[in-house]
Amino acid sequence: MRILGIETSCDETSVAILETNGRRFVLETHVTASQIQDHLPYGGVVPELAARRHVDMIFPLLVSACVPFDGSGLDVIAVTAGPGLVPSLRIGVETAKILSTVWKKQLVAVNHLEGHIYSAFLPDLTVGDKVVIQDEKKELFPILCLLVSGGHTELIIMKNHGIYERLGMTRDDAVGEAFDKVAQMLGLSYPGGPAIAARAIHGRRDAMVFPRPMKDSHNFDLSFAGLKTAVFVHLKAHPIQNEQELNDVCASFQEAAVDVLVEKTVRAALQIRPQGVLLAGGVSANHRLRDVLEERILRACPGTTLLFSPLAYSGDNAAMIAAAGYIRACRNEFVNPLELAADPHLSLV
Ligand code: KG4
Ligand code: ZN
């Protein structure tokens, strides 16, 4: 099966063609246009501007991805239908609907979060590489998923391909949002996550003790608004005087965020005893989170398979959407192109 993936849920326009025989994914082509430079002056994504950039980029990307002009050779079109920014989602969804109708190809609506989950099934492959998606020798499920992005922070049990149960989620800000807001307070550039992570390398993780909200709560929910406010209050009382102090705040904030994420994930793993622990979403690019999670999970539950999204696919991309689309297509979950609508609140469970 050859799947055309289209992703436009936020500020990346991305197109990919993924081929699979059910056991392997082969990434044939993959192109992504980032809008970071467009949104930089505003310190965050401006939805209407994002939509206009998607309009500018979607067809040039289809051309540069060498998608056949008549859709020949393609079996399915998979598009992100939500969650995300409505103006952005609409560009991808409407494009996919038109192509599906004109080319007479079946259409699959993909949940963006499910896409992030499937990014962990794409190792650091370059175009043409193959990856096994089904290992008959080893049981894959259940997989405990920690999804950490700019809009979502969730702990999910993946019981099988396409079957999810939510264990917990943030009650307020997503962890990526907290990184972005704290970066803004510190005068660092957008997006805040990479900027804070880069500074944190040179900072002391124990320079300030920021709160770990809900770390000891008897559930798997999370909260990051209090941590963000604590950094704000600290900065009011102790304005940054030099580079070292700035780095220390970054390292101490990052440590608090990583600490709660890892603690909740390890506790969930001890309760569920999953075959694998999966880490995905934009914040999964954070090296401190990857290192601490790997160390703690392998200590608590030796033998657990770690499925961490490769750095190349931790951000928004169409390869992961095509991969998730394949699973939906196998289950015949096709949608009518005349009826599909972008859904900013589309839920995974
Ligand atoms: O998944 P993603 O690309 O877009 C959404 O679906 O939201 O995630 C974007 C988020 C942003 O908040 C960004 O600051 C954060 O991921 N991020 C990071 C890192 N790289 C990106 N956060 C912490 N450390 C990083 N290295
Ligand atoms: Zn995302």
Side-chain angles (χ1 to χ4, degrees):
M1 188 186 292
R2 285 177 87 222
I3 305 131
L4 170 65
I6 298 177
E7 154 67 33
T8 65
S9 68
C10 189
D11 59 347
E12 320 275 349
T13 324
S14 186
V15 170
I17 296 178
L18 198 70
E19 203 258 318
T20 176
N21 59 7
R23 290 192 40 77
R24 290 171 186 282
F25 282 136
V26 181
L27 188 60
E28 291 187 2
T29 169
H30 187 212
V31 284
T32 301
S34 169
Q35 303 178 0
I36 286 181
Q37 292 306 320
D38 299 297
H39 301 287
L40 201 60
Y42 308 99
V45 179
V46 182
E48 292 303 329
L49 176 58
R52 265 183 273 143
R53 290 289 168 269
H54 288 309
V55 171
D56 294 341
M57 293 313 299
I58 189 77
F59 283 103
L61 284 188
L62 286 164
V63 171
S64 69
C66 299
V67 177
F69 69 95
D70 56 356
S72 56
L74 294 174
D75 299 297
V76 172
I77 299 171
V79 64
T80 306
L85 303 171
V86 168
S88 291
L89 286 166
R90 274 192 190 134
I91 309 307
V93 167
E94 294 306 318
T95 304
K97 286 163 67 175
I98 292 166
L99 296 180
S100 159
T101 307
V102 173
W103 290 344
K104 298 187 173 48
K105 302 290 175 187
Q106 288 190 297
L107 181 62
V108 180
V110 173
N111 182 301
H112 182 75
L113 298 179
E114 187 170 37
H116 275 303
I117 287 177
Y118 276 91
S119 71
F121 289 81
L122 304 170
D124 264 322
L125 74 173
T126 48
V127 170
D129 283 354
K130 294 178 178 174
V131 50
V132 174
I133 48 173
Q134 200 183 327
D135 186 349
E136 277 155 13
K137 294 194 207 87
K138 197 168 183 296
E139 186 56 53
L140 271 180
F141 301 101
I143 296 173
L144 174 65
C145 309
L146 175 61
L147 287 183
V148 280
S149 74
H152 295 266
T153 305
E154 304 196 4
L155 267 169
I156 303 264
I157 307 173
M158 185 181 188
K159 296 184 166 175
N160 207 323
H161 286 296
I163 301 176
Y164 309 99
E165 184 184 311
R166 187 188 290 123
L167 266 186
M169 64 189 290
T170 182
R171 294 203 176 165
D172 38 59
D173 293 354
V175 63
E177 190 181 344
F179 268 91
D180 292 338
K181 298 264 170 65
V182 167
Q184 219 169 16
M185 290 177 208
L186 294 169
L188 299 177
S189 65
Y190 161 84
I196 288 186
R199 287 267 172 190
I201 293 170
H202 309 288
R204 292 169 297 164
R205 297 195 280 263
D206 58 356
M208 297 105 203
V209 181
F210 289 127
R212 271 77 167 149
M214 295 189 74
K215 183 178 172 185
D216 299 316
S217 67
H218 297 292
N219 54 37
F220 295 110
D221 282 347
L222 298 133
S223 162
F224 293 95
L227 170 58
K228 183 187 67 183
T229 307
V231 176
F232 180 76
V233 170
H234 172 86
L235 293 174
K236 280 271 173 226
H238 308 279
I240 300 281
Q241 305 285 347
N242 54 51
E243 292 279 310
Q244 186 57 49
E245 281 181 20
L246 177 56
N247 296 343
D248 287 348
V249 173
C250 289
S252 302
F253 159 76
Q254 178 179 269
E255 198 62 10
V258 166
D259 192 16
V260 271
L261 288 169
V262 171
E263 177 67 27
K264 286 279 162 108
T265 311
V266 169
R267 228 185 288 157
L270 284 168
Q271 184 178 308
I272 291 154
R273 296 283 169 184
Q275 296 289 337
V277 170
L278 184 151
L279 174 66
V283 183
S284 73
N286 188 284
H287 287 283
R288 181 71 185 154
L289 175 59
R290 295 171 88 93
D291 292 349
V292 180
L293 188 60
E294 175 174 353
E295 200 261 321
R296 292 272 319 272
I297 287 289
L298 293 184
R299 187 148 37 98
C301 308
T304 307
T305 303
L306 296 179
L307 289 148
F308 287 6
S309 177
L311 293 176
Y313 298 100
S314 62
D316 294 344
N317 67 85
M320 68 186 195
I321 301 303
Y326 164 69
I327 301 297
R328 296 271 152 198
C330 287
R331 296 150 68 101
N332 281 323
E333 291 178 4
F334 300 110
V335 294
N336 182 342
L338 298 179
E339 289 174 4
L340 180 63
D343 180 354
H345 305 298
L346 190 64
S347 172
L348 187 60
V349 290

